Each structure stands twice: as structure tokens, then as C-alpha cells.
Amino acid sequence: MKLFISADIEGCTGTTLSAETHNTESRYQAFAKRMTEEVVAVCEAALEAGVAEIVVKDGHGDATNIDPMRMPKGVTLIRGKSGHPYNMMFGLDESFDGVLYVGYHSPAGSPESPLSHTSTGNTNYITLNGKPLSEFMLNSYTAAMMNVPVLFLSGDEGICNLAKEMVPEITTVSTKSGCGASTINKDPQTVIEELKCKVKEALSKDFSKGKIKLPEKFIYKANYKDLKKAYQMSFFPGVKAVDERTNCVESDNYHDIVVAHSFIVY
């Protein structure tokens, strides 16, 4: 069995402030260590369940957050930004049996986490076919293009609920909930225990239940915080301005959406 893990930091237990997720800040190292610990726990559980090969994509910031010296034997870590539009899913292909997400968070515009965003902090919100576009949704449709099922997610309560709406059979671990600018966090030991238990549970299920059917048409709308950014990105090929803050991309091919997103919100 071969698994792909996409990891982020904002959905790990404890993270609350933006400064805690930026590697230029003094408080960042403690939370990068926590991200590493949660990824390692998921990897160890998968290996114990008999998985032969694991590829981890560090998906946060400059993608050098996870300590490579902590990776268990049999785990490949992809660090840094390749520039490929798949971004947090770079390295995924049709050879994988399943995708797991660690440390994911609520989408831009959500009140369920003080760290809510989608890819960058440049948008008030993004929708896809009328629903909030989270990084989970963005990346899970990327997995669907390759017919790879989505099996597991850990992160804040908001993204766990959205994941279950999109993939009812997905196994989740909620690390915390949000209220205003605060987070209510589970203790680190409990989170590690739940990660290990729930990953094994996810790997015991029927993987076909995690396969996502791609919609026939995609309507992507991004509402920007900055008026200049909205205006500038309205000139990107295939983009149409809806109003002074909102741009739209429509396509029958999801790859077009992924590529547009990788340019117009950065």
C-alpha cells in the first residue's frame, strides 16, 4: 500500500496566532515541532498498519517546517516549493492508494478558526460551485483527478465538519475548535493517541468510499481584500471580473481551476 500525506500547521493543536506559523517569528519553532510530531504519529500508525510506502508533502509556507531527521524509515518527505500548481499535493500521482491530511484548517471567511484562510491571506473568501473553497476541497478534487481516494483528515473542528460533508466516510480527528480570535485545544498527548487510533481505523475501511466524483462544471469565485489585487488578477487569462473585489473562473476541466488558483490568489 502506498499513501500520500499532505500536511499543514494551522490545524495542529495549539496554533492560534499567525506569528506562530511564520518561520521568521521566535515562537514559530515550538509549533513547527508540533507539526512534525503530528505527522510522525500519522506515519507511525500507517506503518504499523502495514503500509509499505509513504510520501509526505510539507504544505505550509515555504514547505520546510517538518523536521526531516524525524521521519520514520520508509517515509519520503517532499520539502520546499516546486512551483507546480498542485502545490500542497505536489508528488501525488495515480500510483497512490489513498490521501491523508494532517493539520488542516477552516477556509477563508470561516469564523471557526482565527487562522482561517485558503492558500494565502489575500482573499475574504473563495467559493467553488457556491460552496466555501477550503484547501481540503481544493486538494481533494486534485486527488479525484487521479482517482485517488481521500481517507483521513486532522485539523480544527470546522474543517473536519466540511470534510465530512464532502466525503461522508472520511475519518477525522478534531484537534481544536475556534471562538473569535481564540482556540480551544485538546492536549497534545490525547491528539497523538487519537491520530494513531483513527489512522488505523481509516486504513481498515473500504477505500472506494473515499473516492470523489468530479462535478461536470466548475465555477470558481475569489473575493479579494485588496482592490488593486482584484483588478490586476482580473486580467489573468480565463478570469472575468464579477465586481470590484470578485473574480470568476469557469471551466469543465478542474485542472484549469487549480492552475488559475495557483496564480490569482498569490
Side-chain angles (χ1 to χ4, degrees):
M1 190 188 306
K2 183 179 180 182
L3 297 180
F4 186 90
I5 298 174
S6 177
D8 208 346
I9 199 170
E10 288 91 351
C12 295
T13 194
T15 51
T16 304
L17 303 176
S18 179
E20 295 167 348
T21 71
H22 294 162
N23 62 11
T24 55
E25 300 288 342
S26 60
R27 64 185 74 186
Y28 158 82
Q29 289 299 332
F31 297 93
K33 180 180 178 183
R34 182 60 201 178
M35 180 183 177
T36 299
E37 290 168 348
E38 294 190 11
V39 169
V40 169
V42 169
C43 290
E44 288 178 342
L47 292 168
E48 289 170 9
V51 174
E53 185 177 352
I54 300 172
V55 174
V56 174
K57 176 66 182 85
D58 189 325
H60 175 70
D62 66 1
T64 60
N65 311 277
I66 298 170
D67 183 352
M69 306 308 166
R70 292 283 312 281
M71 291 299 96
K73 183 178 180 180
V75 176
T76 299
L77 175 63
I78 301 176
R79 305 180 77 224
K81 295 285 191 178
S82 68
H84 194 283
Y86 290 171
N87 195 2
M88 299 173 79
M89 303 299 277
F90 173 69
L92 181 70
D93 59 32
E94 292 83 355
S95 69
F96 286 86
D97 296 294
V99 171
L100 293 77
Y101 302 105
V102 179
Y104 268 51
H105 53 81
S106 295
S110 170
E112 303 218 39
S113 168
L115 295 171
S116 295
H117 66 281
T118 301
S119 299
T120 69
N122 290 331
T123 57
N124 292 309
Y125 61 84
I126 305 173
T127 61
L128 187 65
N129 293 349
K131 295 184 178 181
L133 179 65
S134 63
E135 291 169 20
F136 168 79
M137 179 186 284
L138 176 77
N139 295 336
S140 293
Y141 278 140
T142 298
M145 286 195 295
M146 301 174 212
N147 201 35
V148 181
V150 172
L151 308 177
F152 174 85
L153 175 139
S154 68
D156 64 59
E157 187 175 324
I159 195 59
C160 288
N161 291 336
L162 288 175
K164 289 175 183 176
E165 286 181 17
M166 187 173 176
V167 187
E169 294 297 320
I170 194 171
T171 302
T172 64
V173 170
S174 174
T175 59
K176 60 188 170 186
S177 59
C179 181
S182 69
T183 59
I184 303 163
N185 299 271
K186 288 182 180 177
D187 69 87
Q189 294 82 6
T190 295
V191 170
I192 294 297
E193 291 171 4
E194 290 185 0
L195 289 173
K196 290 186 173 182
C197 177
K198 290 296 184 176
V199 165
K200 291 179 181 178
E201 178 184 310
L203 297 180
S204 70
K205 291 183 177 181
D206 179 357
F207 284 17
S208 67
K209 299 286 183 66
K211 289 189 176 181
I212 300 168
K213 183 179 180 181
L214 288 166
E216 294 182 358
K217 186 176 181 62
F218 298 93
I219 302 174
Y220 168 103
K221 293 182 179 179
N223 181 277
Y224 296 81
K225 295 177 180 178
D226 181 65
L227 288 169
K228 178 188 174 184
K229 183 75 173 177
Y231 179 66
Q232 181 182 21
M233 292 298 105
S234 71
F235 292 97
F236 188 85
V239 175
K240 295 181 180 179
V242 176
D243 57 41
E244 66 275 6
R245 287 194 184 274
T246 311
N247 289 328
C248 179
V249 180
E250 297 187 30
S251 179
D252 298 334
N253 187 340
Y254 185 65
H255 187 265
D256 295 339
I257 302 298
V258 173
V259 172
H261 176 83
S262 71
F263 285 92
I264 67 176
V265 302
Y266 284 86

